[in-house]
Short mmCIF file of all heavy atoms in Angstrom, two decimals:
data_model
loop_
_atom_site.label_atom_id
_atom_site.label_comp_id
_atom_site.label_asym_id
_atom_site.label_seq_id
_atom_site.Cartn_x
_atom_site.Cartn_y
_atom_site.Cartn_z
N LEU A 195 -1.30 -33.65 -14.61
CA LEU A 195 -2.63 -33.17 -15.01
C LEU A 195 -3.75 -34.18 -14.72
O LEU A 195 -4.92 -33.81 -14.79
CB LEU A 195 -2.62 -32.80 -16.50
CG LEU A 195 -1.62 -31.69 -16.89
CD1 LEU A 195 -1.60 -31.50 -18.41
CD2 LEU A 195 -1.96 -30.36 -16.22
N SER A 196 -3.38 -35.44 -14.39
CA SER A 196 -4.43 -36.46 -14.29
C SER A 196 -5.48 -36.11 -13.24
O SER A 196 -6.68 -36.28 -13.47
CB SER A 196 -3.82 -37.84 -14.01
OG SER A 196 -3.27 -37.85 -12.72
N GLU A 197 -5.06 -35.56 -12.11
CA GLU A 197 -6.08 -35.27 -11.09
C GLU A 197 -6.99 -34.11 -11.51
O GLU A 197 -8.16 -34.07 -11.11
CB GLU A 197 -5.45 -35.00 -9.72
CG GLU A 197 -4.53 -33.82 -9.65
CD GLU A 197 -3.86 -33.72 -8.26
OE1 GLU A 197 -2.80 -34.34 -8.04
OE2 GLU A 197 -4.40 -33.02 -7.41
N LEU A 198 -6.47 -33.21 -12.34
CA LEU A 198 -7.32 -32.12 -12.83
C LEU A 198 -8.32 -32.65 -13.86
O LEU A 198 -9.46 -32.18 -13.94
CB LEU A 198 -6.46 -31.01 -13.46
CG LEU A 198 -5.46 -30.33 -12.50
CD1 LEU A 198 -4.60 -29.32 -13.27
CD2 LEU A 198 -6.18 -29.63 -11.36
N LYS A 199 -7.88 -33.64 -14.64
CA LYS A 199 -8.80 -34.27 -15.60
C LYS A 199 -9.90 -35.03 -14.85
O LYS A 199 -11.08 -34.97 -15.21
CB LYS A 199 -8.04 -35.25 -16.50
CG LYS A 199 -7.31 -34.60 -17.66
CD LYS A 199 -6.45 -35.63 -18.41
CE LYS A 199 -7.26 -36.55 -19.29
NZ LYS A 199 -7.60 -35.97 -20.60
N ASP A 200 -9.48 -35.73 -13.79
CA ASP A 200 -10.43 -36.56 -13.02
C ASP A 200 -11.59 -35.73 -12.47
O ASP A 200 -12.71 -36.22 -12.36
CB ASP A 200 -9.71 -37.26 -11.85
CG ASP A 200 -8.81 -38.38 -12.35
OD1 ASP A 200 -8.91 -38.73 -13.54
OD2 ASP A 200 -8.02 -38.90 -11.55
N ILE A 201 -11.32 -34.50 -12.05
CA ILE A 201 -12.42 -33.72 -11.47
C ILE A 201 -13.09 -32.84 -12.51
O ILE A 201 -13.91 -32.00 -12.16
CB ILE A 201 -11.95 -32.84 -10.29
CG1 ILE A 201 -10.82 -31.92 -10.73
CG2 ILE A 201 -11.49 -33.70 -9.12
CD1 ILE A 201 -10.51 -30.86 -9.71
N ASP A 202 -12.73 -33.05 -13.80
CA ASP A 202 -13.52 -32.48 -14.90
C ASP A 202 -13.54 -30.95 -14.90
O ASP A 202 -14.60 -30.34 -15.07
CB ASP A 202 -14.96 -33.04 -14.80
CG ASP A 202 -15.72 -32.81 -16.10
OD1 ASP A 202 -15.06 -32.77 -17.17
OD2 ASP A 202 -16.95 -32.65 -16.03
N ILE A 203 -12.37 -30.33 -14.72
CA ILE A 203 -12.31 -28.86 -14.87
C ILE A 203 -12.58 -28.51 -16.33
O ILE A 203 -12.35 -29.33 -17.22
CB ILE A 203 -10.92 -28.30 -14.47
CG1 ILE A 203 -9.81 -28.92 -15.34
CG2 ILE A 203 -10.64 -28.54 -13.00
CD1 ILE A 203 -8.51 -28.16 -15.29
N ASP A 204 -13.09 -27.29 -16.59
CA ASP A 204 -13.27 -26.87 -17.98
C ASP A 204 -12.40 -25.67 -18.34
O ASP A 204 -12.44 -25.18 -19.48
CB ASP A 204 -14.75 -26.62 -18.31
CG ASP A 204 -15.26 -25.32 -17.68
OD1 ASP A 204 -14.53 -24.68 -16.91
OD2 ASP A 204 -16.42 -24.96 -17.98
N THR A 205 -11.61 -25.20 -17.36
CA THR A 205 -10.74 -24.04 -17.59
C THR A 205 -9.44 -24.28 -16.82
O THR A 205 -9.47 -24.71 -15.68
CB THR A 205 -11.41 -22.75 -17.05
OG1 THR A 205 -12.70 -22.63 -17.67
CG2 THR A 205 -10.59 -21.52 -17.36
N LEU A 206 -8.32 -24.01 -17.49
CA LEU A 206 -7.03 -24.25 -16.84
C LEU A 206 -6.12 -23.03 -17.02
O LEU A 206 -5.85 -22.61 -18.15
CB LEU A 206 -6.35 -25.50 -17.43
CG LEU A 206 -4.97 -25.85 -16.86
CD1 LEU A 206 -5.04 -26.17 -15.38
CD2 LEU A 206 -4.36 -27.03 -17.63
N ILE A 207 -5.66 -22.49 -15.89
CA ILE A 207 -4.75 -21.34 -15.94
C ILE A 207 -3.31 -21.84 -16.00
O ILE A 207 -2.89 -22.63 -15.16
CB ILE A 207 -4.94 -20.45 -14.70
CG1 ILE A 207 -6.38 -19.91 -14.65
CG2 ILE A 207 -3.92 -19.31 -14.69
CD1 ILE A 207 -6.69 -19.12 -13.39
N LEU A 208 -2.55 -21.36 -16.99
CA LEU A 208 -1.12 -21.68 -17.10
C LEU A 208 -0.39 -20.68 -16.19
O LEU A 208 0.10 -19.65 -16.65
CB LEU A 208 -0.65 -21.56 -18.54
CG LEU A 208 -1.48 -22.33 -19.59
CD1 LEU A 208 -0.88 -22.14 -20.98
CD2 LEU A 208 -1.55 -23.81 -19.24
N GLY A 209 -0.33 -21.00 -14.88
CA GLY A 209 0.06 -20.03 -13.87
C GLY A 209 1.55 -19.89 -13.64
O GLY A 209 1.98 -19.57 -12.54
N CYS A 210 2.34 -20.11 -14.66
CA CYS A 210 3.79 -19.91 -14.58
C CYS A 210 4.22 -19.49 -15.97
O CYS A 210 3.77 -20.06 -16.96
CB CYS A 210 4.49 -21.21 -14.16
SG CYS A 210 6.28 -21.17 -14.34
N THR A 211 5.10 -18.50 -16.04
CA THR A 211 5.41 -17.90 -17.33
C THR A 211 6.09 -18.84 -18.32
O THR A 211 6.11 -18.57 -19.51
CB THR A 211 6.30 -16.65 -17.15
OG1 THR A 211 7.38 -17.00 -16.30
CG2 THR A 211 5.51 -15.52 -16.54
N HIS A 212 6.65 -19.96 -17.81
CA HIS A 212 7.26 -20.92 -18.74
C HIS A 212 6.22 -21.79 -19.44
O HIS A 212 6.50 -22.36 -20.49
CB HIS A 212 8.21 -21.86 -18.00
CG HIS A 212 9.57 -21.30 -17.72
ND1 HIS A 212 9.78 -20.27 -16.84
CD2 HIS A 212 10.79 -21.62 -18.21
CE1 HIS A 212 11.07 -20.01 -16.79
NE2 HIS A 212 11.71 -20.80 -17.61
N TYR A 213 5.05 -21.96 -18.82
CA TYR A 213 4.12 -22.99 -19.29
C TYR A 213 3.54 -22.74 -20.68
O TYR A 213 3.25 -23.72 -21.39
CB TYR A 213 3.01 -23.22 -18.26
CG TYR A 213 3.47 -23.73 -16.90
CD1 TYR A 213 2.55 -23.94 -15.87
CD2 TYR A 213 4.81 -24.01 -16.63
CE1 TYR A 213 2.95 -24.40 -14.62
CE2 TYR A 213 5.22 -24.46 -15.38
CZ TYR A 213 4.28 -24.65 -14.38
OH TYR A 213 4.67 -25.10 -13.14
N PRO A 214 3.33 -21.49 -21.10
CA PRO A 214 2.84 -21.30 -22.48
C PRO A 214 3.76 -21.97 -23.51
O PRO A 214 3.30 -22.31 -24.60
CB PRO A 214 2.83 -19.78 -22.64
CG PRO A 214 2.60 -19.27 -21.26
CD PRO A 214 3.36 -20.21 -20.36
N LEU A 215 5.01 -22.19 -23.17
CA LEU A 215 5.93 -22.82 -24.12
C LEU A 215 5.63 -24.31 -24.31
O LEU A 215 6.09 -24.91 -25.28
CB LEU A 215 7.38 -22.59 -23.69
CG LEU A 215 7.80 -21.11 -23.60
CD1 LEU A 215 9.17 -20.97 -22.96
CD2 LEU A 215 7.81 -20.45 -24.97
N ILE A 216 4.87 -24.93 -23.38
CA ILE A 216 4.44 -26.32 -23.60
C ILE A 216 2.91 -26.37 -23.66
O ILE A 216 2.29 -27.38 -23.31
CB ILE A 216 4.98 -27.30 -22.53
CG1 ILE A 216 4.75 -26.76 -21.11
CG2 ILE A 216 6.44 -27.60 -22.74
CD1 ILE A 216 5.01 -27.81 -20.01
N ARG A 217 2.34 -25.29 -24.14
CA ARG A 217 0.90 -25.16 -24.24
C ARG A 217 0.27 -26.28 -25.09
O ARG A 217 -0.79 -26.81 -24.74
CB ARG A 217 0.59 -23.80 -24.89
CG ARG A 217 -0.84 -23.43 -24.92
CD ARG A 217 -1.10 -22.28 -25.92
NE ARG A 217 -2.52 -22.10 -26.01
CZ ARG A 217 -3.19 -21.12 -25.40
NH1 ARG A 217 -2.55 -20.20 -24.73
NH2 ARG A 217 -4.50 -21.05 -25.48
N SER A 218 0.93 -26.66 -26.18
CA SER A 218 0.31 -27.66 -27.06
C SER A 218 0.25 -29.02 -26.37
O SER A 218 -0.75 -29.73 -26.48
CB SER A 218 1.05 -27.74 -28.40
OG SER A 218 2.34 -28.23 -28.20
N THR A 219 1.29 -29.38 -25.61
CA THR A 219 1.27 -30.63 -24.85
C THR A 219 0.15 -30.62 -23.81
O THR A 219 -0.63 -31.57 -23.69
CB THR A 219 2.63 -30.83 -24.12
OG1 THR A 219 3.66 -30.89 -25.10
CG2 THR A 219 2.64 -32.10 -23.29
N ILE A 220 0.06 -29.53 -23.08
CA ILE A 220 -0.96 -29.41 -22.03
C ILE A 220 -2.37 -29.45 -22.65
O ILE A 220 -3.25 -30.15 -22.16
CB ILE A 220 -0.75 -28.10 -21.22
CG1 ILE A 220 0.59 -28.16 -20.47
CG2 ILE A 220 -1.91 -27.86 -20.25
CD1 ILE A 220 1.05 -26.84 -19.88
N GLY A 221 -2.53 -28.75 -23.76
CA GLY A 221 -3.82 -28.72 -24.43
C GLY A 221 -4.24 -30.09 -24.94
O GLY A 221 -5.40 -30.50 -24.80
N ARG A 222 -3.29 -30.83 -25.51
CA ARG A 222 -3.59 -32.16 -26.03
C ARG A 222 -4.04 -33.10 -24.91
O ARG A 222 -5.00 -33.85 -25.05
CB ARG A 222 -2.34 -32.72 -26.74
CG ARG A 222 -2.54 -34.05 -27.40
CD ARG A 222 -1.43 -34.38 -28.42
NE ARG A 222 -0.14 -33.80 -28.10
CZ ARG A 222 0.71 -34.27 -27.17
NH1 ARG A 222 0.41 -35.34 -26.46
NH2 ARG A 222 1.87 -33.67 -26.96
N ILE A 223 -3.35 -33.03 -23.76
CA ILE A 223 -3.69 -33.91 -22.64
C ILE A 223 -5.04 -33.53 -22.03
O ILE A 223 -5.87 -34.39 -21.72
CB ILE A 223 -2.58 -33.89 -21.57
CG1 ILE A 223 -1.31 -34.53 -22.13
CG2 ILE A 223 -3.03 -34.59 -20.29
CD1 ILE A 223 -0.08 -34.36 -21.28
N MET A 224 -5.30 -32.25 -21.88
CA MET A 224 -6.54 -31.82 -21.23
C MET A 224 -7.75 -32.01 -22.15
O MET A 224 -8.86 -32.22 -21.68
CB MET A 224 -6.45 -30.35 -20.80
CG MET A 224 -5.43 -30.07 -19.70
SD MET A 224 -5.60 -31.14 -18.22
CE MET A 224 -7.23 -30.69 -17.62
N GLY A 225 -7.54 -31.90 -23.46
CA GLY A 225 -8.65 -32.06 -24.40
C GLY A 225 -9.22 -30.72 -24.83
O GLY A 225 -9.04 -29.70 -24.15
N GLU A 226 -9.93 -30.76 -25.95
CA GLU A 226 -10.43 -29.52 -26.57
C GLU A 226 -11.46 -28.76 -25.75
O GLU A 226 -11.63 -27.56 -25.91
CB GLU A 226 -11.03 -29.84 -27.94
CG GLU A 226 -10.01 -29.89 -29.05
CD GLU A 226 -10.64 -30.20 -30.38
OE1 GLU A 226 -11.88 -30.19 -30.48
OE2 GLU A 226 -9.88 -30.47 -31.33
N HIS A 227 -12.19 -29.48 -24.90
CA HIS A 227 -13.25 -28.84 -24.13
C HIS A 227 -12.70 -28.00 -22.97
O HIS A 227 -13.45 -27.32 -22.29
CB HIS A 227 -14.22 -29.90 -23.60
CG HIS A 227 -13.56 -30.83 -22.62
ND1 HIS A 227 -12.59 -31.74 -23.00
CD2 HIS A 227 -13.71 -30.97 -21.28
CE1 HIS A 227 -12.18 -32.41 -21.93
NE2 HIS A 227 -12.84 -31.96 -20.88
N VAL A 228 -11.40 -28.06 -22.72
CA VAL A 228 -10.82 -27.27 -21.62
C VAL A 228 -10.17 -26.00 -22.19
O VAL A 228 -9.33 -26.06 -23.07
CB VAL A 228 -9.78 -28.10 -20.83
CG1 VAL A 228 -9.08 -27.24 -19.78
CG2 VAL A 228 -10.45 -29.30 -20.18
N THR A 229 -10.62 -24.84 -21.69
CA THR A 229 -10.06 -23.56 -22.11
C THR A 229 -8.75 -23.30 -21.36
O THR A 229 -8.72 -23.33 -20.13
CB THR A 229 -11.04 -22.42 -21.77
OG1 THR A 229 -12.31 -22.73 -22.34
CG2 THR A 229 -10.54 -21.08 -22.31
N LEU A 230 -7.68 -23.06 -22.12
CA LEU A 230 -6.41 -22.72 -21.48
C LEU A 230 -6.29 -21.20 -21.38
O LEU A 230 -6.45 -20.49 -22.36
CB LEU A 230 -5.24 -23.28 -22.29
CG LEU A 230 -5.19 -24.80 -22.50
CD1 LEU A 230 -3.87 -25.19 -23.18
CD2 LEU A 230 -5.33 -25.55 -21.17
N VAL A 231 -6.01 -20.71 -20.18
CA VAL A 231 -5.86 -19.27 -19.97
C VAL A 231 -4.38 -18.95 -19.83
O VAL A 231 -3.68 -19.53 -18.98
CB VAL A 231 -6.62 -18.81 -18.70
CG1 VAL A 231 -6.37 -17.34 -18.43
CG2 VAL A 231 -8.12 -19.09 -18.85
N ASN A 232 -3.90 -18.04 -20.67
CA ASN A 232 -2.50 -17.62 -20.64
C ASN A 232 -2.40 -16.24 -19.99
O ASN A 232 -2.67 -15.22 -20.64
CB ASN A 232 -1.95 -17.59 -22.07
CG ASN A 232 -0.52 -17.11 -22.13
OD1 ASN A 232 0.09 -16.78 -21.10
ND2 ASN A 232 0.03 -17.06 -23.33
N PRO A 233 -1.98 -16.17 -18.73
CA PRO A 233 -1.93 -14.88 -18.03
C PRO A 233 -1.05 -13.84 -18.73
O PRO A 233 -1.29 -12.64 -18.59
CB PRO A 233 -1.38 -15.23 -16.65
CG PRO A 233 -1.78 -16.65 -16.45
CD PRO A 233 -1.65 -17.27 -17.81
N ALA A 234 -0.06 -14.27 -19.50
CA ALA A 234 0.80 -13.31 -20.21
C ALA A 234 -0.03 -12.47 -21.16
O ALA A 234 0.09 -11.24 -21.21
CB ALA A 234 1.90 -14.07 -20.98
N TYR A 235 -0.89 -13.14 -21.92
CA TYR A 235 -1.74 -12.45 -22.88
C TYR A 235 -2.70 -11.49 -22.17
O TYR A 235 -2.83 -10.32 -22.55
CB TYR A 235 -2.53 -13.49 -23.69
CG TYR A 235 -3.47 -12.87 -24.68
CD1 TYR A 235 -3.02 -12.46 -25.93
CD2 TYR A 235 -4.81 -12.67 -24.36
CE1 TYR A 235 -3.89 -11.88 -26.83
CE2 TYR A 235 -5.68 -12.07 -25.25
CZ TYR A 235 -5.22 -11.68 -26.48
OH TYR A 235 -6.07 -11.08 -27.37
N GLU A 236 -3.35 -11.98 -21.12
CA GLU A 236 -4.34 -11.17 -20.40
C GLU A 236 -3.68 -9.98 -19.69
O GLU A 236 -4.27 -8.91 -19.58
CB GLU A 236 -5.09 -12.03 -19.37
CG GLU A 236 -5.67 -13.33 -19.91
CD GLU A 236 -6.62 -13.14 -21.09
OE1 GLU A 236 -7.17 -12.03 -21.26
OE2 GLU A 236 -6.81 -14.11 -21.87
N THR A 237 -2.45 -10.19 -19.23
CA THR A 237 -1.74 -9.12 -18.54
C THR A 237 -1.42 -7.97 -19.50
O THR A 237 -1.59 -6.80 -19.15
CB THR A 237 -0.45 -9.67 -17.90
OG1 THR A 237 -0.81 -10.70 -16.99
CG2 THR A 237 0.31 -8.59 -17.16
N ALA A 238 -0.96 -8.31 -20.70
CA ALA A 238 -0.64 -7.27 -21.68
C ALA A 238 -1.91 -6.49 -22.04
O ALA A 238 -1.87 -5.27 -22.18
CB ALA A 238 -0.03 -7.91 -22.93
N ARG A 239 -3.02 -7.19 -22.16
CA ARG A 239 -4.30 -6.54 -22.48
C ARG A 239 -4.71 -5.58 -21.36
O ARG A 239 -5.09 -4.44 -21.60
CB ARG A 239 -5.38 -7.61 -22.65
CG ARG A 239 -6.33 -7.36 -23.79
CD ARG A 239 -7.14 -8.60 -24.08
NE ARG A 239 -7.77 -9.09 -22.86
CZ ARG A 239 -9.10 -9.15 -22.68
NH1 ARG A 239 -9.91 -8.76 -23.63
NH2 ARG A 239 -9.59 -9.63 -21.56
N GLU A 240 -4.59 -6.07 -20.11
CA GLU A 240 -4.98 -5.24 -18.98
C GLU A 240 -4.03 -4.05 -18.81
O GLU A 240 -4.44 -2.95 -18.46
CB GLU A 240 -5.02 -6.08 -17.70
CG GLU A 240 -5.76 -5.38 -16.60
CD GLU A 240 -6.49 -6.35 -15.67
OE1 GLU A 240 -7.28 -7.19 -16.18
OE2 GLU A 240 -6.27 -6.28 -14.47
N LEU A 241 -2.75 -4.28 -19.10
CA LEU A 241 -1.78 -3.18 -19.03
C LEU A 241 -2.15 -2.08 -20.01
O LEU A 241 -2.11 -0.89 -19.69
CB LEU A 241 -0.37 -3.72 -19.34
CG LEU A 241 0.73 -2.66 -19.45
CD1 LEU A 241 1.02 -2.02 -18.09
CD2 LEU A 241 2.02 -3.27 -20.01
N LYS A 242 -2.55 -2.48 -21.21
CA LYS A 242 -2.93 -1.50 -22.22
C LYS A 242 -4.13 -0.67 -21.74
O LYS A 242 -4.12 0.57 -21.83
CB LYS A 242 -3.29 -2.23 -23.53
CG LYS A 242 -3.53 -1.31 -24.69
CD LYS A 242 -3.89 -2.09 -25.95
CE LYS A 242 -4.18 -1.14 -27.10
NZ LYS A 242 -4.64 -1.85 -28.29
N GLU A 243 -5.12 -1.33 -21.20
CA GLU A 243 -6.30 -0.62 -20.66
C GLU A 243 -5.93 0.34 -19.55
O GLU A 243 -6.41 1.46 -19.48
CB GLU A 243 -7.32 -1.64 -20.11
CG GLU A 243 -8.13 -2.34 -21.19
CD GLU A 243 -9.00 -3.46 -20.60
OE1 GLU A 243 -9.35 -3.39 -19.40
OE2 GLU A 243 -9.32 -4.40 -21.36
N LEU A 244 -5.06 -0.14 -18.67
CA LEU A 244 -4.64 0.68 -17.52
C LEU A 244 -3.90 1.93 -17.99
O LEU A 244 -4.15 3.05 -17.50
CB LEU A 244 -3.74 -0.17 -16.62
CG LEU A 244 -3.24 0.47 -15.32
CD1 LEU A 244 -4.40 0.68 -14.34
CD2 LEU A 244 -2.18 -0.40 -14.66
N LEU A 245 -3.01 1.77 -18.96
CA LEU A 245 -2.25 2.93 -19.46
C LEU A 245 -3.18 3.91 -20.18
O LEU A 245 -3.01 5.13 -20.07
CB LEU A 245 -1.13 2.46 -20.41
CG LEU A 245 0.01 1.65 -19.76
CD1 LEU A 245 1.01 1.19 -20.83
CD2 LEU A 245 0.74 2.44 -18.69
N GLU A 246 -4.18 3.36 -20.90
CA GLU A 246 -5.18 4.22 -21.54
C GLU A 246 -5.92 5.06 -20.51
O GLU A 246 -6.05 6.27 -20.63
CB GLU A 246 -6.21 3.36 -22.29
CG GLU A 246 -5.96 3.27 -23.79
CD GLU A 246 -6.73 2.13 -24.45
OE1 GLU A 246 -7.61 1.50 -23.78
OE2 GLU A 246 -6.45 1.86 -25.63
N LYS A 247 -6.38 4.38 -19.46
CA LYS A 247 -7.16 5.02 -18.40
C LYS A 247 -6.34 6.13 -17.72
O LYS A 247 -6.86 7.20 -17.42
CB LYS A 247 -7.58 3.97 -17.37
CG LYS A 247 -8.85 4.29 -16.62
CD LYS A 247 -9.16 3.23 -15.57
CE LYS A 247 -8.29 3.42 -14.32
NZ LYS A 247 -8.44 2.36 -13.34
N GLU A 248 -5.07 5.86 -17.51
CA GLU A 248 -4.22 6.84 -16.81
C GLU A 248 -3.60 7.84 -17.78
O GLU A 248 -2.74 8.63 -17.38
CB GLU A 248 -3.10 6.09 -16.07
CG GLU A 248 -3.57 5.01 -15.12
CD GLU A 248 -3.58 5.47 -13.67
OE1 GLU A 248 -2.88 6.45 -13.34
OE2 GLU A 248 -4.31 4.86 -12.86
N ASP A 249 -4.00 7.77 -19.04
CA ASP A 249 -3.44 8.64 -20.08
C ASP A 249 -1.91 8.53 -20.13
O ASP A 249 -1.21 9.55 -20.15
CB ASP A 249 -3.89 10.09 -19.85
CG ASP A 249 -3.59 10.96 -21.09
OD1 ASP A 249 -3.49 10.40 -22.20
OD2 ASP A 249 -3.44 12.19 -20.92
N LEU A 250 -1.43 7.31 -20.15
CA LEU A 250 0.01 7.09 -20.14
C LEU A 250 0.52 6.34 -21.37
O LEU A 250 1.71 6.03 -21.46
CB LEU A 250 0.42 6.29 -18.88
CG LEU A 250 0.57 7.09 -17.60
CD1 LEU A 250 0.80 6.15 -16.42
CD2 LEU A 250 1.71 8.09 -17.71
N LEU A 251 -0.40 6.01 -22.31
CA LEU A 251 0.06 5.30 -23.51
C LEU A 251 1.00 6.18 -24.32
O LEU A 251 0.75 7.38 -24.49
CB LEU A 251 -1.14 4.91 -24.38
CG LEU A 251 -1.85 3.59 -24.07
CD1 LEU A 251 -3.05 3.43 -25.01
CD2 LEU A 251 -0.91 2.40 -24.22
N ASN A 252 2.03 5.60 -24.83
CA ASN A 252 2.96 6.35 -25.68
C ASN A 252 2.29 6.55 -27.04
O ASN A 252 2.01 5.58 -27.74
CB ASN A 252 4.27 5.57 -25.82
CG ASN A 252 5.39 6.44 -26.36
OD1 ASN A 252 5.20 7.65 -26.55
ND2 ASN A 252 6.55 5.84 -26.59
N PRO A 253 2.02 7.81 -27.45
CA PRO A 253 1.24 8.03 -28.66
C PRO A 253 2.01 7.72 -29.94
O PRO A 253 1.42 7.51 -30.99
CB PRO A 253 0.87 9.51 -28.59
CG PRO A 253 1.93 10.12 -27.75
CD PRO A 253 2.38 9.06 -26.79
N MET A 254 3.33 7.69 -29.87
CA MET A 254 4.05 7.43 -31.13
C MET A 254 5.22 6.47 -30.91
O MET A 254 5.76 6.34 -29.82
CB MET A 254 4.57 8.73 -31.71
CG MET A 254 5.34 9.53 -30.72
SD MET A 254 5.58 11.23 -31.31
CE MET A 254 6.28 11.99 -29.84
N GLU A 255 5.55 5.83 -31.98
CA GLU A 255 6.66 4.90 -31.97
C GLU A 255 7.95 5.64 -31.59
O GLU A 255 8.18 6.75 -32.07
CB GLU A 255 6.83 4.34 -33.39
CG GLU A 255 7.24 2.90 -33.44
CD GLU A 255 7.32 2.44 -34.89
OE1 GLU A 255 6.58 2.98 -35.74
OE2 GLU A 255 8.13 1.57 -35.16
N PRO A 256 8.79 5.03 -30.75
CA PRO A 256 10.06 5.68 -30.44
C PRO A 256 10.86 5.94 -31.71
O PRO A 256 10.81 5.15 -32.65
CB PRO A 256 10.77 4.66 -29.54
CG PRO A 256 9.67 3.82 -28.98
CD PRO A 256 8.61 3.77 -30.03
N ALA A 257 11.58 7.05 -31.73
CA ALA A 257 12.35 7.42 -32.92
C ALA A 257 13.37 6.33 -33.26
O ALA A 257 13.84 5.61 -32.39
CB ALA A 257 13.07 8.74 -32.67
N LEU A 258 13.67 6.24 -34.54
CA LEU A 258 14.72 5.31 -34.99
C LEU A 258 16.00 5.61 -34.21
O LEU A 258 16.36 6.75 -33.99
CB LEU A 258 14.99 5.53 -36.47
CG LEU A 258 14.22 4.63 -37.43
CD1 LEU A 258 14.50 5.04 -38.86
CD2 LEU A 258 14.65 3.17 -37.21
N GLY A 259 16.67 4.55 -33.80
CA GLY A 259 17.91 4.76 -33.05
C GLY A 259 17.69 4.78 -31.55
O GLY A 259 18.64 4.68 -30.79
#
Side-chain angles (χ1 to χ4, degrees):
Chain A
L195 300 174
S196 68
E197 62 185 87
L198 299 176
K199 279 174 76 82
D200 288 349
I201 57 168
D202 196 29
I203 60 164
D204 73 354
T205 305
L206 179 63
I207 299 175
L208 309 180
C210 169
T211 49
H212 279 69
Y213 298 178
L215 300 171
I216 49 169
R217 187 196 173 102
S218 66
T219 300
I220 295 168
R222 184 164 30 77
I223 293 170
M224 294 308 297
E226 275 180 10
H227 65 292
V228 174
T229 307
L230 301 186
V231 175
N232 177 359
Y235 178 83
E236 310 303 338
T237 301
R239 221 167 52 116
E240 195 148 306
L241 174 68
K242 188 180 178 185
E243 282 173 25
L244 183 68
L245 293 177
E246 260 165 9
K247 207 183 78 186
E248 306 260 339
D249 193 24
L250 279 173
L251 273 178
N252 196 4
M254 51 194 171
E255 216 178 330
L258 266 175

